[in-house]
Amino acid sequence: MNRLLQMAHELWLATLMGSFMAKDGENKRLLNEFSDIFYRHHNWIENDLFSKNIEYDYNRDNIPIKVDKLSVLLRNIIDRINQIELALCVCDDKELKARIEHDFEYIKYTLQNMPDEDINAFNMQRKYKNIELSQEATDALTLFLFEESYKEYELIMIYNYLKVHSSDCFINRIFDIMIQESFFHLRSFGEMMAEMGILGVPRVIHKSLYQVEDVVKFLKDGIEEEIGAKEQCKELSDAVAKDSVELAKFFDFINYQESYHIDLMKQALEYYTKKVADE
């Protein structure tokens, strides 16, 4: 079951990366939707492990995605699905097994009939749309996207792990919002990276980051990290403002979203602090 979880994780992430690199249109929409389904598969397998008190982690193998044709990645995704289908024999939840198998049947059919397209997500041109950025602004944007795409992936996995291990409705509501927000940011940054030809898979997260023992400390550190992210957004907005109003406004938009994240984390911190005190 641990290996099954890892395979589901890798399938989800490979498909998500595919949705970033595909051009706007039906291919992108379908890959985005399928990645959401694979993410749910991962979570259902994880919940099954948790319910059986089986220890697990989010370790995974490298996920090669550097292709020049979408069809190459699609074949890789189908191969991953086939491997998971064989591994599903270890899943004794018959309804879950049947659900995943039926999802796979349709998704494989759709992927096999998806029109091919050229992929430019790895050409290293570092050009975003037709916007002319200075070298300084380009370097700042490149560094920001690499750092923040990893951070958002990290936060998805951390909050997901904490949510699975909590039965508290108030806290899980906050964790769920943070997961959804991080997905939006990850998709936004990932699509920008693909447009600039610098797309990369986020590195593996060490289990010490999500197997949190002191949630109060985690939330305090997280608030400081979000404050830092706000400052980075403001600096980046200022760096690109003279070259692109569009990009400056986008990073201001992200900056203001981080403000609400800080407020949510403060609510969670106050709740946890009181809960610890009451105990």
Side-chain angles (χ1 to χ4, degrees):
M1 285 295 288
N2 272 287
R3 177 58 184 148
L4 183 61
L5 181 72
Q6 181 178 327
M7 294 165 73
H9 188 167
E10 292 164 358
L11 173 62
W12 158 59
L13 205 49
T15 310
L16 183 66
M17 294 296 112
S19 75
F20 297 162
M21 67 179 76
K23 295 180 176 64
D24 289 337
E26 190 68 359
N27 284 356
K28 178 178 285 292
R29 184 188 71 80
L30 286 169
L31 287 169
N32 188 29
E33 289 185 356
F34 292 160
S35 74
D36 284 345
I37 291 172
F38 294 152
Y39 175 72
R40 293 200 292 275
H41 290 175
H42 173 274
N43 289 351
W44 294 335
I45 295 168
E46 181 179 6
N47 282 317
D48 190 45
L49 284 163
F50 177 73
S51 70
K52 294 171 180 170
N53 294 313
I54 300 173
E55 290 188 14
Y56 66 91
D57 57 42
Y58 292 149
N59 191 32
R60 58 173 172 80
D61 293 333
N62 290 329
I63 303 172
I65 60 167
K66 194 171 182 180
V67 298
D68 55 10
K69 291 284 188 180
L70 184 64
S71 57
V72 178
L73 183 71
L74 298 182
R75 286 197 297 271
N76 176 270
I77 290 171
I78 292 169
D79 286 344
R80 290 180 182 278
I81 290 174
N82 289 336
Q83 291 168 17
I84 293 176
E85 285 181 318
L86 294 174
L88 277 172
C89 61
V90 302
C91 181
D92 56 14
D93 184 331
K94 293 181 180 179
E95 293 302 322
L96 174 57
K97 183 173 179 287
R99 164 61 195 263
I100 293 174
E101 288 173 335
H102 288 131
D103 283 351
F104 282 169
E105 182 181 357
Y106 172 73
I107 291 172
K108 283 201 296 184
Y109 168 80
T110 305
L111 295 177
Q112 287 164 350
N113 290 279
M114 191 174 283
D116 200 6
E117 59 181 78
D118 293 330
I119 297 298
N120 301 310
F122 311 99
N123 60 24
M124 301 296 290
Q125 288 187 354
R126 297 206 302 162
K127 295 278 292 182
Y128 183 66
K129 297 182 177 178
N130 295 317
I131 299 171
E132 292 294 331
L133 293 175
S134 67
Q135 186 65 47
E136 178 186 2
T138 299
D139 290 344
L141 178 57
T142 300
L143 180 61
F144 176 89
L145 290 174
F146 273 108
E147 289 182 345
E148 291 302 301
S149 62
Y150 169 72
K151 189 201 84 171
E152 298 299 346
Y153 166 68
E154 177 186 283
L155 289 175
I156 289 168
M157 303 315 296
I158 291 172
Y159 285 117
N160 190 75
Y161 191 89
L162 291 174
K163 185 179 168 187
V164 170
H165 289 75
S166 170
S167 58
D168 190 304
C169 293
F170 178 83
I171 289 297
N172 280 352
R173 180 186 68 85
I174 291 177
F175 289 162
D176 194 50
I177 293 172
M178 298 297 283
I179 291 169
Q180 292 176 39
E181 293 283 275
S182 286
F183 260 118
F184 171 71
H185 289 184
L186 178 58
R187 284 195 174 102
S188 298
F189 300 153
E191 288 177 359
M192 291 182 75
M193 293 173 78
E195 175 78 19
M196 294 175 69
I198 57 172
L199 183 63
V201 180
R203 62 187 180 272
V204 176
I205 305 168
H206 193 274
K207 63 182 180 181
S208 62
L209 292 174
Y210 52 84
Q211 293 179 354
V212 178
E213 295 183 2
D214 187 342
V215 179
V216 170
K217 183 179 184 304
F218 162 75
L219 290 169
K220 286 180 178 178
D221 291 344
I223 290 169
E224 292 302 315
E225 187 174 302
E226 292 291 340
I227 292 171
K230 278 179 58 64
E231 292 173 355
Q232 283 185 301
C233 282
K234 183 64 171 65
E235 290 172 2
L236 191 54
S237 176
D238 293 342
V240 303
K242 62 180 178 295
D243 299 323
S244 172
V245 173
E246 176 187 345
L247 278 176
K249 286 188 174 296
F250 171 73
F251 288 110
D252 285 340
F253 165 64
I254 297 295
N255 180 22
Y256 293 132
Q257 291 189 342
E258 300 289 4
S259 297
Y260 186 58
H261 299 169
I262 291 169
D263 181 67
L264 286 171
M265 294 174 76
K266 285 180 176 177
Q267 290 180 41
L269 177 59
E270 181 180 357
Y271 183 86
Y272 260 111
T273 302
K274 185 177 183 303
K275 189 174 181 180
V276 170
D278 290 342
E279 291 174 353

